[in-house]
Amino acid sequence: MQTLSDKLRTEASATRQTLESEMDSAEQTVAHASHRIEILVTQAKSTMSQAQLDVHAAIFDASMALVRLIQELVQRAGQLQNEIVSREAGDGSALATAQFYKRNSRWVEGLMSAAKAVGAGASVLVDNANAVVQGEAKFEELMVAGHEIAASTAQLVSASRVKASNTSKHMQPLEQTSRQVSDATKALIAAAREAGKQSQTPISAQDYLKMSLPQARRLEMELQVRVIELEATLSRERERLGQVRRANYHKSGDSQA
């Protein structure tokens, strides 16, 4: 008959294996994303015109730098997780380790959720970068992917920080890499925004001055209508975004239950 301590060990072993599997999976996913972005950049540079390269160059550089930093961040988070378990598990016995995982099940769930989000975010980032290069997506979609990366990496660092000690030798490197990820994300968003501007045909003030007064007034009215339509669309889409985020939050909680 299985004793209570045996049952605890079994449950904790399963929890630890799941956590380690999620951390390994996130690291492998990000590593794959890093490899994909390198291939994408190499192919694009061999097929794009110089004009296209001028528009996309900063995006390529920022995307590669960001994915590499995400890879480093996940590795550092894994190192910190191992340090926390080793410190908190007392004598390091199977029972002490089991008790640690039992006491800190919510922390484990938060760490797994964050690791999943980072891995998924890196994949989406590369997918969107590829789609933008192929002309199948807007630069704004790459900017959204950048914002999602910023949120998921912040979640991972926050989940790791919860159990880290003041004397941790891995917390500071993790936070330093996190700041680098934040800077790289801002650089990518700025590059995507600038590329979007460069890809648009500018309209000068002189073009408007050439219009007759009736033409100018008609255009003004059309633009006012367009602004109202866009503001209404923006309001609706923000509401939808809130609903999707709430649904995803509940789904994430259900999957960890």
Side-chain angles (χ1 to χ4, degrees), residues 41-169:
V41 170
T42 300
Q43 291 176 340
K45 287 182 176 180
S46 65
T47 58
M48 280 185 166
S49 66
Q50 186 58 49
Q52 290 174 315
L53 286 174
D54 290 343
V55 172
H56 292 85
I59 288 179
F60 292 153
D61 293 342
S63 297
M64 290 180 65
L66 178 55
V67 174
R68 286 169 182 164
L69 284 167
I70 295 169
Q71 190 173 6
E72 181 180 339
L73 185 80
V74 173
Q75 291 171 348
R76 293 194 183 282
Q79 292 168 353
L80 179 59
Q81 174 233 328
N82 292 333
E83 178 191 77
I84 291 170
V85 174
S86 297
R87 187 191 73 245
E88 296 271 344
D91 59 9
S93 65
L95 181 58
T97 302
Q99 290 171 336
F100 166 78
Y101 280 108
K102 183 71 174 179
R103 290 193 311 269
N104 298 282
S105 59
R106 296 298 298 174
W107 172 73
V108 171
E109 290 170 1
L111 203 57
M112 288 193 295
S113 175
K116 281 182 180 179
V118 170
S123 293
V124 170
L125 174 67
V126 177
D127 288 341
N128 285 10
N130 182 57
V132 166
V133 170
Q134 300 298 327
E136 299 170 355
K138 300 177 181 179
F139 290 105
E140 287 81 2
E141 293 180 52
L142 191 56
M143 294 166 64
V144 169
H147 285 300
E148 290 297 322
I149 282 291
S152 61
T153 53
Q155 181 187 357
L156 179 60
V157 174
S158 178
S160 301
R161 186 185 295 115
V162 169
K163 299 298 295 180
S165 70
N166 294 331
T167 59
S168 170
K169 68 177 183 179

